[in-house]
Amino acid sequence: MSAPLLTSLAGSGGASGGDRPDALTVGPRACSREELLGAAGAVAARIAGAPVVAVRATPTAETVAAVVGALLAGVPVVPVPPDSGPAERDHILRDSKAALLLTGEPSEDEHAAPVETVPVDLAERAAWSGAEPAPESTAFILYTSGTTGAPKGALISRRAVAADLDALAGAWAWTPEDTLVHGLPLFHVHGLVLGVLGALRVGSRLVHTGRPTPAAYAAVGGSLYFGVPTVWHRVVQDPAAARALSAARLLVSGSAPLPAPVFRDLEQLTGHRPVERYGMTETLITISTRADGERRPGYVGTPLSGIRTRIAAEEGAEIGELQLTGPTLFDGYLNRPEATAGSYTEDGWFRTGDIAAVEPDGFHRIVGRASTDLIKSGGYRIGAGEVENALLDHPAVREAAVVGAPHEDLGQQIVAYVVVDGVSEAELIDFVAGQLSVHKRPRKVRFLDALPRNAMGKPQKKLLPPA
Ligand code: MLC
Ligand code: AMP
């Protein structure tokens, strides 16, 4: 059984993270753990009793203080991507019924948000002495895309977060002596749950580089580095930056498949075979290779402590849907009982939608996704349907079909096939970037006279011309 979440947030940290003035560095701003907890305590005092709060999740220390403050007060947190356009932002705020939007520097259009904004000031201080909320209570509502429709809010409990972070600390031998470095967004599991709460719970120092560029990673001299495969691909393209990571203890990749050539280039340039781990918003991280174990290109390792996996394969086949149970699983999608029920088997295992195989030695290999309508681009999960709907909101677009085309750097890139009345590629890309988070924009648009359809009139993505 893991220790409660609050204990770790309010604790004193370890030798490295503990009382250093730069225990937490986000971009240009460094603060001690005490300063962070003071600012978070002030946030907690302001929002205590609110049913749900949203946080505009810029890569700043204010975001960290806002999230920690909400967790201290036991108020569920909804991170909002800072570049999400009005359509996506307002959906998240309305669907979650967030009472307040916590924000460092309010953005220009923030006044248009359908909730009251509350500024977060790192100079404020208050001691928080509230009791630990129940482990089953919700820590986060994380919005994530399905194949169709708008993103759904996944309910993540405090127990799930604590269990996952403890299992990962064990697998990666993560200790207070580590300095964790990454520059990932603070609105997803990878950057926020692992990349911020992990460091706070373990007591290690954290350096968030603002953006995950090779030069910024190389400049820090940390011991533990997190990246999505796109980040590692960019690191190996920059041999000087890659070599600077040789002094690290562990390089960790996740959120999308790490291509074997990138694994090998990393080993050659840094001397490290990277740890690869697998996870999902709904399950947190569930499978990983270990600091003290074998790391094999193309494999994500073995289930973390407390997690059980199985492969739902057809008779005689070895490859099938990966299904999971364990303490890190979510508590369903907010207000969507049917979608929640549909994500579990009759006997209560979570259906990941990923196709996998397990070797006789227990090593798991993720083969792909069951549905091509969930795209992974730069480690971001993007539903084809959400992008299609955004395109169809443009008055000149009559039909739209969106796919993820293989891409060396991004894993997949979003390609839109459209039937339109006179509109340019750039205009459509900007239109989607303006409505949704910028990373959901198509990188390419192909213009067609008609979408290929079957006899029933359903679009046939398999018959689309190559991107
Ligand atoms: C470009 N930009 C535009 C634009 N085109 N802005 C407005 N309109 C347009 N048409 C701007 C962007 O705002 C951004 O600005 C800049 O151009 C570059 O944006 P980009 O092209 O999207 O960046 P890119 O280089 O492609 O990003 C690569 C990346 C990013 C690796 C940095 O994909 C990334 O951060 N990925 C991490 C995703 C992640 O954390 N996933 C984890 C999910 S959890 P500016 O100012 O910002 O430079 C999960 C569970 C698990 O999966 O297992 O971990
Ligand atoms: P998200 O909900 O954004 O966390 O995305 C979860 C999805 O990312 C999973 O269902 C997988 O398809 C994919 N994913 C995460 N980690 C890996 C990995 N190491 N290898 C392959 N796919 C991964």
Side-chain angles (χ1 to χ4, degrees):
M1 188 68 183
S2 297
L5 196 56
L6 190 58
T7 311
S8 61
L9 296 176
S12 59
S16 175
D19 49 6
R20 290 177 59 131
D22 58 354
L24 175 87
T25 305
V26 187
R29 182 75 164 83
C31 61
S32 68
R33 215 178 147 100
E34 203 184 321
E35 286 173 301
L36 172 71
L37 282 170
V43 170
R46 286 180 80 161
I47 65 168
V52 176
V53 294
V55 174
R56 183 166 179 270
T58 51
T60 58
E62 282 83 357
T63 294
V64 176
V67 169
V68 173
L71 293 172
L72 291 176
V75 179
V77 186
V78 184
V80 179
D83 65 353
S84 55
E88 184 174 340
R89 181 198 62 199
D90 293 356
H91 164 70
I92 293 174
L93 294 174
R94 291 208 173 94
D95 190 76
S96 66
K97 300 197 174 60
L100 304 165
L101 175 62
L102 299 171
T103 170
E105 263 177 52
S107 72
E108 273 171 28
D109 66 341
E110 214 90 86
H111 62 271
V115 290
E116 182 193 340
T117 57
V118 176
V120 175
D121 183 352
L122 280 181
E124 283 186 30
R125 296 279 178 273
W128 178 256
S129 54
E132 172 76 41
E136 303 310 318
S137 61
T138 301
F140 292 105
I141 306 174
L142 298 179
Y143 276 79
T144 188
S145 299
T147 51
T148 56
K152 301 188 283 287
L155 298 165
I156 311 292
S157 69
R158 301 172 78 92
R159 168 195 33 80
V161 171
D164 205 48
L165 296 178
D166 291 353
L168 288 174
W172 300 342
W174 187 358
T175 74
E177 305 307 319
D178 276 308
T179 292
L180 171 65
V181 183
H182 73 91
L184 297 167
L186 298 186
F187 45 89
H188 282 312
V189 165
H190 197 162
L192 180 61
V193 179
L194 275 58
V196 172
L197 298 186
L200 291 174
R201 187 165 177 87
V202 168
S204 66
R205 202 181 149 222
L206 166 65
V207 179
H208 188 285
T209 56
R211 286 186 66 83
T213 62
Y217 275 33
V220 180
S223 63
L224 177 61
Y225 282 82
F226 290 173
V228 296
T230 301
V231 168
W232 295 122
H233 178 250
R234 292 178 188 185
V235 165
V236 298
Q237 305 288 306
D238 182 344
R243 282 192 202 98
L245 303 186
S246 307
R249 183 177 69 79
L250 208 64
L251 311 181
V252 183
S253 181
S255 304
L258 182 69
V262 178
F263 184 111
R264 296 203 176 95
D265 288 349
L266 268 178
E267 182 176 19
Q268 206 217 330
L269 288 163
T270 68
H272 294 291
R273 290 168 77 82
V275 157
E276 184 166 4
R277 94 299 180 285
Y278 162 88
M280 264 187 104
T281 304
E282 290 89 337
T283 64
L284 304 183
I285 309 310
T286 48
I287 307 176
S288 183
T289 53
R290 303 180 59 89
D292 61 359
E294 190 198 346
R295 303 164 210 165
R296 206 181 294 166
Y299 288 83
V300 294
T302 52
L304 290 175
S305 167
I307 302 291
R308 286 192 299 148
T309 64
R310 71 183 187 192
I311 302 292
E314 306 264 308
E315 190 76 24
E318 286 174 359
I319 290 176
E321 185 185 39
L322 174 67
Q323 300 179 347
L324 301 162
T325 65
T328 67
L329 265 59
F330 77 149
D331 295 318
Y333 298 109
L334 181 67
N335 297 328
R336 286 175 175 77
E338 279 178 21
T340 303
S343 63
Y344 283 94
T345 63
E346 274 179 14
D347 57 346
W349 289 62
F350 178 75
R351 307 185 52 176
T352 64
D354 288 307
I355 307 300
V358 185
E359 299 294 321
D361 65 1
F363 257 49
H364 288 54
R365 180 165 61 91
I366 310 297
V367 179
R369 277 209 69 88
S371 168
T372 52
D373 282 339
L374 264 195
I375 299 166
K376 265 272 160 164
S377 186
Y380 285 115
R381 165 170 156 188
I382 300 143
E386 189 186 4
V387 183
E388 287 159 5
N389 288 342
L391 286 162
L392 289 168
D393 280 341
H394 191 287
V397 176
R398 283 192 273 141
E399 297 178 48
V402 165
V403 302
H407 188 270
E408 198 194 5
D409 181 51
L410 297 170
Q412 291 183 302
Q413 72 168 350
I414 303 177
V415 179
Y417 293 81
V418 291
V419 180
V420 300
D421 301 312
V423 59
S424 72
E425 177 175 34
E427 199 178 332
L428 286 180
I429 292 173
D430 287 348
F431 181 74
V432 176
Q435 294 296 305
L436 308 177
S437 292
V438 171
H439 65 261
K440 295 182 178 174
R441 72 191 187 278
R443 305 274 173 146
K444 258 192 193 179
V445 179
R446 294 279 315 258
F447 295 94
L448 301 178
D449 293 332
L451 293 184
R453 290 180 185 272
N454 65 12
M456 311 292 288
K458 195 170 175 287
Q460 296 295 288
K461 292 192 180 179
K462 283 196 295 276
L463 301 180
L464 287 165

